[in-house]
Amino acid sequence: MQDCLFCKILNKEINSEIVHEDDTCVAFKDINPKARVHLLIVPKKHIDSIAHMEEGDEKIMGHLINVAKKLAEQNDCKGYQLLFNVGREAGQIIFHVHLHLMGK
Ligand code: AMP
Ligand code: ZN
């Protein structure tokens, strides 16, 4: 998708600190971390938000959670929060769905 910041990061047109990549998703460090570990797990498929999920996308979302769990373990998180902001009113500023992993 043109003019999508996260699509540009996924396509390596914009630099980021990528910590994980597989066929389905990429994870990189949040540029403005709000926790000791703050990673964004982003599907390669452009989906605007959870509200825009289509039939079958739940498989992708399940995968994001599984990757978040593994990254939390790799980063020795004692506990962590997983968050999807859905919609501008809820604080979503990037309209390419992403899972926040915020770890202690
Ligand atoms: P949200 O409010 O859920 O849309 O979250 C967007 C997140 O993207 C925020 O936590 C930002 O700090 C983060 N962010 C914005 N631009 C970049 C970037 N270029 N690289 C990494 N993270 C970014
Ligand atoms: Zn995108």
Side-chain angles (χ1 to χ4, degrees):
M1 166 105 25
Q2 268 182 343
D3 289 333
C4 169
L5 176 66
F6 285 181
C7 281
K8 286 181 180 160
I9 287 178
L10 301 181
N11 292 329
K12 319 273 164 59
E13 292 165 33
I14 290 179
N15 277 336
S16 69
E17 285 193 66
I18 294 178
V19 297
H20 170 88
E21 179 163 12
D22 60 40
D23 289 345
T24 306
C25 73
V26 166
F28 50 88
K29 293 187 183 178
D30 194 295
I31 205 166
N32 182 23
K34 294 180 181 68
R36 180 180 71 81
V37 175
H38 189 169
L39 302 175
L40 302 174
I41 300 111
V42 183
K44 289 187 170 175
K45 178 180 177 185
H46 180 99
I47 303 166
D48 282 2
S49 78
I50 291 284
H52 296 81
M53 281 173 67
E54 296 169 344
E55 198 69 39
D57 287 344
E58 65 276 5
K59 210 175 161 199
I60 296 174
M61 296 309 170
H63 179 74
L64 302 188
I65 293 172
N66 200 32
V67 168
K69 167 190 178 283
K70 287 179 181 156
L71 289 171
E73 287 166 3
Q74 282 172 22
N75 284 279
D76 296 321
C77 295
K78 291 186 179 31
Y80 53 93
Q81 293 169 297
L82 298 179
L83 173 73
F84 288 107
N85 289 322
V86 186
R88 230 173 281 283
E89 290 77 2
Q92 185 177 3
I93 52 170
I94 310 281
F95 283 80
H96 180 136
V97 76
H98 49 281
L99 178 58
H100 291 258
L101 163 62
M102 288 171 285
K104 309 279 179 192

